[in-house]
């Protein structure tokens, strides 16, 4: 016993140090183990997050591509069909051609002044119909893509969110689906209502540009392209900024409902227009007008119109003024060019799957980038 106390007295410091070292080592080991476990858990969480993000990206890409196919295969063909019918009906040139042919076969049936007046009218309407078809086809194809991207983004977010009770969601979805269907139906707004302002304004622009063009003037591809672009620029610059948006999209859901009711002679009480199911439609219209009025969309419109005009020049078969030839020594007299211009409208308004010009717009890099960014990051409406 005495020797044990003596041993403890001589070595207690060493024992304390050893125990301290061992205890510290154990604590450090436990801390290291806990830290290592936290790192492992964090890496696992990051991996799950990466996999989730990749899945979301894949789903977004698949949904985006599906949305574009819907625009190209479903919405656009019907809208182009109605647009083609409306332009063909409202801008029918056959009566002018018929009177001119009668005057040619029966020289005494028309005076020189009447012939000149008919030719001048044919000149204005031929250019107007062709340029209007070009503009309307381009804008309709761009607008419908805006529509389906806005709507597709809403549908994806609503599906991904999945909040609220099933009953509330079911009731909300009924209103939302109704508003979404009506929003897609506004693709025909330009054909049904926008044309009433679009046609006279395009005619004014064409008349101003063509007033110095004579039937005996020779036109080559360069002169024709310049003339078309002048009409487009004159038309786009008339009125306030982005005035042309009113040809494509109704001002709001209430005015759209009233317009539809008036056109269909619907005598129902106008209070039915204020049902809550128009809230979704109104929201979608506001977003569409906001996108169409943006600077980025304006750039896409300019690029698309110029690309379509360039492609149209190839269809005319006219030679350019390059290669040392001059506009006075080469080209086609304007009077002989007019029938060819009249044939351009049906070509521009062909069914989308066969429409070369719609394919050109669809594959423009700037257009593809615009819609990718629009779908991925919908701008906030102020």
């Amino acid at each position: 016993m005495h020797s044990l106390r003596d041993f403890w007295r001589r070595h207690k410091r060493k024992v304390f140090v050893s125990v301290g070292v061992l205890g510290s080592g154990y604590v450090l080991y436990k801390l290291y183990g806990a830290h290592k476990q936290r790192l492992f858990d964090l890496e696992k969480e990051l991996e799950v997050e990466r996999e989730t993000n990749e899945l979301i990206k894949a789903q977004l890409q698949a949904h985006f591509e599906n949305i574009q196919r819907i625009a190209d295969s479903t919405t656009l063909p019907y809208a182009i069909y109605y647009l083609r019918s409306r332009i063909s009906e409202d801008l029918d040139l056959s009566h002018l051609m018929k009177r001119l042919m009668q005057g040619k076969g029966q020289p005494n049936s028309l005076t020189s002044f009447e012939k000149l007046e008919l030719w001048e009218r044919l000149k204005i309407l031929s250019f107007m119909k062709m340029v209007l078809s070009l503009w309307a086809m381009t804008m309709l194809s761009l607008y419908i893509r805006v529509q389906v991207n806005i709507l597709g983004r809403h549908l994806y977010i609503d599906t991904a969110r999945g909040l609220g009770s099933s009953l509330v969601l079911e009731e909300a979805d009924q209103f939302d689906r109704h508003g979404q269907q009506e929003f897609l139906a506004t693709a025909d707004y330009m054909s049904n209502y926008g044309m009433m302002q679009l046609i006279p304004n395009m005619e004014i622009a064409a008349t101003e540009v063509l007033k110095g063009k004579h039937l005996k003037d020779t036109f080559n591809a360069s002169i024709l392209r310049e003339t078309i672009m002048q009409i487009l620029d004159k038309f786009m610059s008339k009125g306030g900024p982005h005035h042309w948006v009113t040809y494509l999209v109704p001002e709001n859901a209430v005015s759209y409902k009233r317009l539809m009711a008036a056109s269909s002679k619907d005598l129902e009480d106008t209070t039915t227009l204020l049902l809550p199911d128009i809230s979704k439609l109104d929201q979608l219209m506001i977003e569409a007008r906001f996108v169409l009025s943006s600077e980025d969309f304006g750039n896409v419109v300019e690029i698309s119109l110029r690309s379509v005009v360039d492609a149209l020049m190839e269809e005319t078969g006219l030679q350019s003024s390059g290669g040392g030839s001059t506009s006075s020594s080469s080209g086609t007299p304007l009077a002989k060019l007019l029938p060819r211009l009249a044939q351009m409208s049906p070509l521009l308004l062909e069914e989308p799957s066969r429409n070369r010009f719609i394919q050109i717009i669809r594959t423009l890099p700037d257009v593809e980038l615009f819609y990718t960014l629009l779908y991925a990051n919908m701008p906030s409406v102020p």
Side-chain angles (χ1 to χ4, degrees):
M1 192 70 178
H2 176 74
S3 61
L4 184 60
R5 283 198 300 270
D6 187 53
F7 175 82
W8 171 253
R9 190 171 50 252
R10 289 198 308 272
H11 299 287
K12 66 179 178 179
R13 184 175 180 180
K14 294 179 181 180
V15 171
F16 284 138
V17 171
S18 298
V19 170
V21 170
L22 291 173
S24 299
Y26 177 77
V27 170
L28 289 174
Y29 172 77
K30 296 296 290 183
L31 290 173
Y32 173 75
H35 178 67
K36 188 174 181 180
Q37 183 63 40
R38 283 197 297 271
L39 287 177
F40 177 78
D41 293 341
L42 181 60
E43 288 177 357
K44 190 174 181 180
E45 290 177 7
L46 291 174
E47 182 63 28
V48 170
E49 185 177 348
R50 278 194 295 269
E51 292 176 356
T52 303
N53 288 337
E54 289 299 323
L55 179 60
I56 292 174
K57 288 179 182 178
Q59 290 175 340
L60 281 170
Q61 183 63 28
H63 193 249
F64 173 76
E65 292 173 356
N66 186 49
I67 286 296
Q68 312 316 305
R69 284 193 293 271
I70 291 173
D72 296 335
S73 62
T74 304
T75 312
L76 186 57
Y78 287 107
I80 287 289
Y81 171 79
Y82 288 120
L83 178 65
R84 180 171 62 249
S85 300
R86 182 63 188 270
I87 291 177
S88 177
E89 178 182 339
D90 289 358
L91 296 175
D92 183 12
L93 308 182
S94 61
H95 65 287
L96 291 175
M97 300 293 293
K98 186 177 180 179
R99 289 193 65 190
L100 285 170
M101 292 301 294
Q102 287 177 345
K104 186 177 181 180
Q106 303 173 3
N108 296 328
S109 62
L110 291 174
T111 65
S112 298
F113 178 77
E114 288 174 332
K115 287 180 182 179
L116 181 60
E117 196 174 51
L118 285 172
W119 273 107
E120 285 296 317
R121 185 62 180 158
L122 182 63
K123 177 186 73 173
I124 299 297
L125 290 181
S126 296
F127 270 94
M128 185 187 75
K129 184 176 183 179
M130 184 263 289
V131 177
L132 187 145
S133 298
L134 186 154
W135 186 88
M137 176 275 297
T138 301
M139 299 305 295
L140 186 60
S141 61
L142 292 173
Y143 170 57
I144 286 177
R145 191 66 66 86
V146 168
Q147 272 190 310
V148 295
N149 276 280
I150 290 176
L151 191 55
R153 182 68 174 172
H154 274 270
L155 290 171
Y156 184 85
I157 291 174
D158 291 345
T159 302
R161 185 181 294 131
L163 299 177
S165 68
S166 59
L167 179 60
V168 173
L169 284 175
E170 184 177 351
E171 293 176 350
D173 285 347
Q174 289 177 356
F175 289 126
D176 283 357
R177 280 196 297 271
H178 185 71
Q180 290 157 5
Q181 291 168 358
E182 288 197 310
F183 180 57
L184 285 176
T186 63
D188 292 331
Y189 178 80
M190 179 169 62
S191 299
N192 291 330
Y193 308 108
M195 283 292 168
M196 290 184 285
Q197 291 182 319
L198 175 56
I199 289 176
N201 288 339
M202 185 66 77
E203 183 175 357
I204 292 172
T207 302
E208 290 183 11
V209 172
L210 295 170
K211 62 185 177 182
K213 309 290 184 182
H214 304 291
L215 294 172
K216 293 182 179 180
D217 291 347
T218 55
F219 271 63
N220 54 38
S222 299
I223 296 174
L224 180 58
R225 184 187 188 282
E226 181 183 358
T227 303
I228 293 172
M229 292 306 304
Q230 286 175 347
I231 296 173
L232 285 171
D233 291 341
K234 183 77 68 174
F235 169 74
M236 294 290 279
S237 62
K238 277 190 172 295
H242 311 294
H243 69 96
W244 43 267
V245 173
T246 60
Y247 306 141
L248 293 168
V249 192
E251 184 178 356
N252 53 59
V254 173
S255 63
Y256 178 59
K257 289 275 195 174
R258 286 176 178 157
L259 193 60
M260 291 180 65
S263 62
S264 62
K265 299 181 180 179
D266 190 347
L267 300 179
E268 292 181 5
D269 192 332
T270 54
T271 56
T272 59
L273 300 177
L274 303 178
L275 289 174
D277 64 346
I278 69 167
S279 60
K280 186 67 173 183
L281 174 62
D282 202 46
Q283 177 189 359
L284 294 169
M285 284 183 180
I286 291 172
E287 291 183 14
R289 294 180 71 92
F290 181 73
V291 172
L292 296 184
S293 301
S294 67
E295 182 179 353
D296 289 338
F297 185 77
N299 294 334
V300 166
V301 168
E302 183 178 353
I303 291 169
S304 299
L305 288 173
R306 291 185 180 277
S307 298
V308 172
V309 172
D310 290 341
L312 190 65
M313 293 305 96
E314 300 175 10
E315 297 290 340
T316 63
L318 294 176
Q319 300 295 319
S320 67
S321 59
S325 60
T326 63
S327 59
S328 60
S329 61
S330 64
T332 301
L334 179 55
K336 291 185 177 181
L337 182 61
L338 294 182
R340 203 180 304 181
L341 295 182
Q343 297 172 0
M344 293 293 102
S345 178
L347 192 64
L348 286 160
L349 299 173
E350 269 193 321
E351 199 276 329
S353 64
R354 301 192 304 270
N355 194 315
R356 177 192 174 202
F357 307 101
I358 290 178
Q359 302 297 328
I360 288 172
I361 295 171
R362 183 185 302 167
T363 56
L364 287 171
D366 295 272
V367 173
E368 291 181 336
L369 178 60
F370 173 79
Y371 289 113
T372 300
L373 295 176
L374 175 64
Y375 181 83
N377 186 26
M378 193 69 65
S380 301
V381 179

mmCIF file of all heavy atoms in Angstrom, residues 143 147 183 186 189-190 244-252 255-256 284-289 292:
data_model
loop_
_atom_site.group_PDB
_atom_site.id
_atom_site.type_symbol
_atom_site.label_atom_id
_atom_site.label_comp_id
_atom_site.label_asym_id
_atom_site.label_seq_id
_atom_site.Cartn_x
_atom_site.Cartn_y
_atom_site.Cartn_z
ATOM 1 N N TYR A 143 -45.774 35.629 -83.004
ATOM 2 C CA TYR A 143 -46.701 35.824 -81.892
ATOM 3 C C TYR A 143 -47.183 34.499 -81.314
ATOM 4 O O TYR A 143 -47.258 34.331 -80.093
ATOM 5 C CB TYR A 143 -47.901 36.657 -82.340
ATOM 6 C CG TYR A 143 -49.010 36.701 -81.318
ATOM 7 C CD1 TYR A 143 -48.774 37.165 -80.021
ATOM 8 C CD2 TYR A 143 -50.293 36.257 -81.630
ATOM 9 C CE1 TYR A 143 -49.786 37.195 -79.070
ATOM 10 C CE2 TYR A 143 -51.309 36.289 -80.683
ATOM 11 C CZ TYR A 143 -51.053 36.750 -79.413
ATOM 12 O OH TYR A 143 -52.045 36.785 -78.464
ATOM 13 N N GLN A 147 -47.040 33.130 -77.551
ATOM 14 C CA GLN A 147 -48.199 32.582 -76.842
ATOM 15 C C GLN A 147 -47.880 31.255 -76.160
ATOM 16 O O GLN A 147 -48.091 31.092 -74.954
ATOM 17 C CB GLN A 147 -49.343 32.350 -77.821
ATOM 18 C CG GLN A 147 -50.266 33.510 -78.053
ATOM 19 C CD GLN A 147 -51.479 33.054 -78.838
ATOM 20 O OE1 GLN A 147 -51.364 32.399 -79.863
ATOM 21 N NE2 GLN A 147 -52.654 33.387 -78.352
ATOM 22 N N PHE A 183 -56.971 32.223 -74.573
ATOM 23 C CA PHE A 183 -55.719 32.905 -74.919
ATOM 24 C C PHE A 183 -55.160 32.354 -76.222
ATOM 25 O O PHE A 183 -54.743 33.115 -77.114
ATOM 26 C CB PHE A 183 -54.708 32.728 -73.783
ATOM 27 C CG PHE A 183 -53.377 33.392 -74.044
ATOM 28 C CD1 PHE A 183 -53.295 34.749 -74.311
ATOM 29 C CD2 PHE A 183 -52.211 32.639 -74.023
ATOM 30 C CE1 PHE A 183 -52.067 35.359 -74.544
ATOM 31 C CE2 PHE A 183 -50.978 33.243 -74.258
ATOM 32 C CZ PHE A 183 -50.906 34.594 -74.517
ATOM 33 N N THR A 186 -56.851 33.659 -79.307
ATOM 34 C CA THR A 186 -56.545 35.015 -79.777
ATOM 35 C C THR A 186 -55.541 35.009 -80.922
ATOM 36 O O THR A 186 -55.260 36.071 -81.479
ATOM 37 C CB THR A 186 -55.994 35.893 -78.632
ATOM 38 O OG1 THR A 186 -54.741 35.353 -78.160
ATOM 39 C CG2 THR A 186 -56.971 35.989 -77.469
ATOM 40 N N TYR A 189 -57.101 36.659 -83.673
ATOM 41 C CA TYR A 189 -57.553 38.033 -83.457
ATOM 42 C C TYR A 189 -57.192 38.931 -84.637
ATOM 43 O O TYR A 189 -58.014 39.742 -85.085
ATOM 44 C CB TYR A 189 -56.936 38.585 -82.169
ATOM 45 C CG TYR A 189 -57.313 40.023 -81.888
ATOM 46 C CD1 TYR A 189 -58.544 40.337 -81.316
ATOM 47 C CD2 TYR A 189 -56.447 41.060 -82.205
ATOM 48 C CE1 TYR A 189 -58.900 41.655 -81.063
ATOM 49 C CE2 TYR A 189 -56.793 42.378 -81.960
ATOM 50 C CZ TYR A 189 -58.014 42.668 -81.393
ATOM 51 O OH TYR A 189 -58.371 43.979 -81.152
ATOM 52 N N MET A 190 -55.980 38.791 -85.163
ATOM 53 C CA MET A 190 -55.564 39.631 -86.286
ATOM 54 C C MET A 190 -56.436 39.381 -87.504
ATOM 55 O O MET A 190 -56.865 40.330 -88.175
ATOM 56 C CB MET A 190 -54.092 39.394 -86.632
ATOM 57 C CG MET A 190 -53.613 40.227 -87.812
ATOM 58 S SD MET A 190 -51.827 40.209 -88.044
ATOM 59 C CE MET A 190 -51.528 38.465 -88.354
ATOM 60 N N TRP A 244 -48.410 48.485 -83.757
ATOM 61 C CA TRP A 244 -48.808 47.269 -84.467
ATOM 62 C C TRP A 244 -49.190 46.132 -83.518
ATOM 63 O O TRP A 244 -49.816 45.155 -83.946
ATOM 64 C CB TRP A 244 -47.684 46.809 -85.398
ATOM 65 C CG TRP A 244 -46.329 46.875 -84.774
ATOM 66 C CD1 TRP A 244 -45.429 47.904 -84.842
ATOM 67 C CD2 TRP A 244 -45.711 45.879 -83.957
ATOM 68 N NE1 TRP A 244 -44.294 47.609 -84.119
ATOM 69 C CE2 TRP A 244 -44.443 46.373 -83.571
ATOM 70 C CE3 TRP A 244 -46.117 44.617 -83.523
ATOM 71 C CZ2 TRP A 244 -43.569 45.643 -82.767
ATOM 72 C CZ3 TRP A 244 -45.255 43.884 -82.715
ATOM 73 C CH2 TRP A 244 -43.999 44.395 -82.347
ATOM 74 N N VAL A 245 -48.843 46.254 -82.236
ATOM 75 C CA VAL A 245 -49.228 45.223 -81.270
ATOM 76 C C VAL A 245 -50.752 45.118 -81.198
ATOM 77 O O VAL A 245 -51.300 44.031 -80.980
ATOM 78 C CB VAL A 245 -48.631 45.532 -79.874
ATOM 79 C CG1 VAL A 245 -49.159 44.556 -78.822
ATOM 80 C CG2 VAL A 245 -47.103 45.466 -79.932
ATOM 81 N N THR A 246 -51.444 46.241 -81.428
ATOM 82 C CA THR A 246 -52.911 46.237 -81.345
ATOM 83 C C THR A 246 -53.531 45.389 -82.449
ATOM 84 O O THR A 246 -54.703 45.013 -82.325
ATOM 85 C CB THR A 246 -53.457 47.669 -81.445
ATOM 86 O OG1 THR A 246 -53.056 48.248 -82.702
ATOM 87 C CG2 THR A 246 -52.917 48.531 -80.324
ATOM 88 N N TYR A 247 -52.786 45.100 -83.525
ATOM 89 C CA TYR A 247 -53.314 44.231 -84.575
ATOM 90 C C TYR A 247 -53.266 42.766 -84.167
ATOM 91 O O TYR A 247 -53.990 41.936 -84.714
ATOM 92 C CB TYR A 247 -52.518 44.384 -85.877
ATOM 93 C CG TYR A 247 -52.395 45.802 -86.376
ATOM 94 C CD1 TYR A 247 -51.212 46.250 -86.940
ATOM 95 C CD2 TYR A 247 -53.457 46.693 -86.294
ATOM 96 C CE1 TYR A 247 -51.088 47.545 -87.410
ATOM 97 C CE2 TYR A 247 -53.333 47.995 -86.759
ATOM 98 C CZ TYR A 247 -52.151 48.415 -87.315
ATOM 99 O OH TYR A 247 -52.028 49.704 -87.779
ATOM 100 N N LEU A 248 -52.400 42.449 -83.205
ATOM 101 C CA LEU A 248 -52.150 41.058 -82.838
ATOM 102 C C LEU A 248 -52.860 40.628 -81.566
ATOM 103 O O LEU A 248 -53.336 39.484 -81.466
ATOM 104 C CB LEU A 248 -50.643 40.830 -82.653
ATOM 105 C CG LEU A 248 -49.760 40.932 -83.892
ATOM 106 C CD1 LEU A 248 -48.296 40.981 -83.488
ATOM 107 C CD2 LEU A 248 -50.009 39.761 -84.823
ATOM 108 N N VAL A 249 -52.905 41.517 -80.574
ATOM 109 C CA VAL A 249 -53.397 41.144 -79.245
ATOM 110 C C VAL A 249 -54.485 42.116 -78.805
ATOM 111 O O VAL A 249 -54.325 43.332 -78.959
ATOM 112 C CB VAL A 249 -52.261 41.170 -78.198
ATOM 113 C CG1 VAL A 249 -52.708 40.499 -76.905
ATOM 114 C CG2 VAL A 249 -51.012 40.523 -78.733
ATOM 115 N N PRO A 250 -55.589 41.626 -78.254
ATOM 116 C CA PRO A 250 -56.607 42.531 -77.705
ATOM 117 C C PRO A 250 -56.031 43.377 -76.581
ATOM 118 O O PRO A 250 -55.048 43.007 -75.933
ATOM 119 C CB PRO A 250 -57.683 41.571 -77.180
ATOM 120 C CG PRO A 250 -57.426 40.269 -77.865
ATOM 121 C CD PRO A 250 -55.959 40.210 -78.123
ATOM 122 N N GLU A 251 -56.650 44.521 -76.350
ATOM 123 C CA GLU A 251 -56.167 45.419 -75.303
ATOM 124 C C GLU A 251 -56.259 44.776 -73.932
ATOM 125 O O GLU A 251 -55.363 44.875 -73.107
ATOM 126 C CB GLU A 251 -56.958 46.726 -75.333
ATOM 127 C CG GLU A 251 -56.465 47.758 -74.333
ATOM 128 C CD GLU A 251 -57.248 49.051 -74.421
ATOM 129 O OE1 GLU A 251 -58.117 49.161 -75.307
ATOM 130 O OE2 GLU A 251 -56.995 49.949 -73.591
ATOM 131 N N ASN A 252 -57.375 44.105 -73.667
ATOM 132 C CA ASN A 252 -57.564 43.386 -72.408
ATOM 133 C C ASN A 252 -58.682 42.368 -72.600
ATOM 134 O O ASN A 252 -59.345 42.336 -73.641
ATOM 135 C CB ASN A 252 -57.882 44.343 -71.243
ATOM 136 C CG ASN A 252 -59.050 45.261 -71.563
ATOM 137 O OD1 ASN A 252 -60.149 44.800 -71.846
ATOM 138 N ND2 ASN A 252 -58.800 46.568 -71.531
ATOM 139 N N SER A 255 -62.425 43.914 -73.096
ATOM 140 C CA SER A 255 -62.680 44.462 -74.435
ATOM 141 C C SER A 255 -62.758 43.343 -75.469
ATOM 142 O O SER A 255 -63.549 43.417 -76.421
ATOM 143 C CB SER A 255 -61.587 45.456 -74.813
ATOM 144 O OG SER A 255 -60.314 44.819 -74.901
ATOM 145 N N TYR A 256 -61.937 42.308 -75.292
ATOM 146 C CA TYR A 256 -61.957 41.172 -76.209
ATOM 147 C C TYR A 256 -63.299 40.444 -76.139
ATOM 148 O O TYR A 256 -63.896 40.089 -77.161
ATOM 149 C CB TYR A 256 -60.802 40.230 -75.860
ATOM 150 C CG TYR A 256 -60.729 38.980 -76.716
ATOM 151 C CD1 TYR A 256 -60.592 39.059 -78.087
ATOM 152 C CD2 TYR A 256 -60.776 37.717 -76.118
ATOM 153 C CE1 TYR A 256 -60.513 37.915 -78.871
ATOM 154 C CE2 TYR A 256 -60.696 36.566 -76.882
ATOM 155 C CZ TYR A 256 -60.565 36.672 -78.258
ATOM 156 O OH TYR A 256 -60.491 35.531 -79.027
ATOM 157 N N LEU A 284 -52.601 36.614 -69.060
ATOM 158 C CA LEU A 284 -51.835 36.126 -70.204
ATOM 159 C C LEU A 284 -51.735 37.182 -71.301
ATOM 160 O O LEU A 284 -50.682 37.329 -71.938
ATOM 161 C CB LEU A 284 -52.471 34.850 -70.751
ATOM 162 C CG LEU A 284 -52.439 33.635 -69.815
ATOM 163 C CD1 LEU A 284 -53.326 32.516 -70.350
ATOM 164 C CD2 LEU A 284 -51.013 33.140 -69.614
ATOM 165 N N MET A 285 -52.812 37.933 -71.527
ATOM 166 C CA MET A 285 -52.780 39.000 -72.523
ATOM 167 C C MET A 285 -51.791 40.102 -72.127
ATOM 168 O O MET A 285 -51.046 40.630 -72.964
ATOM 169 C CB MET A 285 -54.173 39.603 -72.696
ATOM 170 C CG MET A 285 -55.133 38.759 -73.508
ATOM 171 S SD MET A 285 -56.699 39.629 -73.718
ATOM 172 C CE MET A 285 -57.601 38.423 -74.695
ATOM 173 N N ILE A 286 -51.799 40.463 -70.859
ATOM 174 C CA ILE A 286 -50.879 41.497 -70.370
ATOM 175 C C ILE A 286 -49.433 41.054 -70.587
ATOM 176 O O ILE A 286 -48.589 41.837 -71.042
ATOM 177 C CB ILE A 286 -51.143 41.800 -68.885
ATOM 178 C CG1 ILE A 286 -52.497 42.504 -68.711
ATOM 179 C CG2 ILE A 286 -50.030 42.650 -68.292
ATOM 180 C CD1 ILE A 286 -52.933 42.661 -67.269
ATOM 181 N N GLU A 287 -49.150 39.801 -70.257
ATOM 182 C CA GLU A 287 -47.791 39.287 -70.439
ATOM 183 C C GLU A 287 -47.406 39.268 -71.917
ATOM 184 O O GLU A 287 -46.271 39.599 -72.278
ATOM 185 C CB GLU A 287 -47.680 37.890 -69.826
ATOM 186 C CG GLU A 287 -47.768 37.879 -68.310
ATOM 187 C CD GLU A 287 -47.586 36.488 -67.729
ATOM 188 O OE1 GLU A 287 -47.135 35.595 -68.466
ATOM 189 O OE2 GLU A 287 -47.893 36.296 -66.540
ATOM 190 N N ALA A 288 -48.362 38.880 -72.768
ATOM 191 C CA ALA A 288 -48.079 38.829 -74.209
ATOM 192 C C ALA A 288 -47.775 40.226 -74.750
ATOM 193 O O ALA A 288 -46.806 40.421 -75.498
ATOM 194 C CB ALA A 288 -49.260 38.222 -74.955
ATOM 195 N N ARG A 289 -48.576 41.219 -74.381
ATOM 196 C CA ARG A 289 -48.349 42.587 -74.840
ATOM 197 C C ARG A 289 -47.015 43.118 -74.328
ATOM 198 O O ARG A 289 -46.314 43.853 -75.031
ATOM 199 C CB ARG A 289 -49.494 43.500 -74.398
ATOM 200 C CG ARG A 289 -50.835 43.182 -75.042
ATOM 201 C CD ARG A 289 -51.925 44.132 -74.554
ATOM 202 N NE ARG A 289 -51.730 45.465 -75.089
ATOM 203 C CZ ARG A 289 -52.274 45.907 -76.227
ATOM 204 N NH1 ARG A 289 -53.054 45.113 -76.934
ATOM 205 N NH2 ARG A 289 -52.060 47.129 -76.637
ATOM 206 N N LEU A 292 -44.290 41.487 -76.510
ATOM 207 C CA LEU A 292 -44.297 42.020 -77.874
ATOM 208 C C LEU A 292 -43.779 43.459 -77.924
ATOM 209 O O LEU A 292 -43.248 43.885 -78.957
ATOM 210 C CB LEU A 292 -45.714 41.975 -78.453
ATOM 211 C CG LEU A 292 -46.341 40.592 -78.644
ATOM 212 C CD1 LEU A 292 -47.698 40.717 -79.323
ATOM 213 C CD2 LEU A 292 -45.446 39.672 -79.446
#
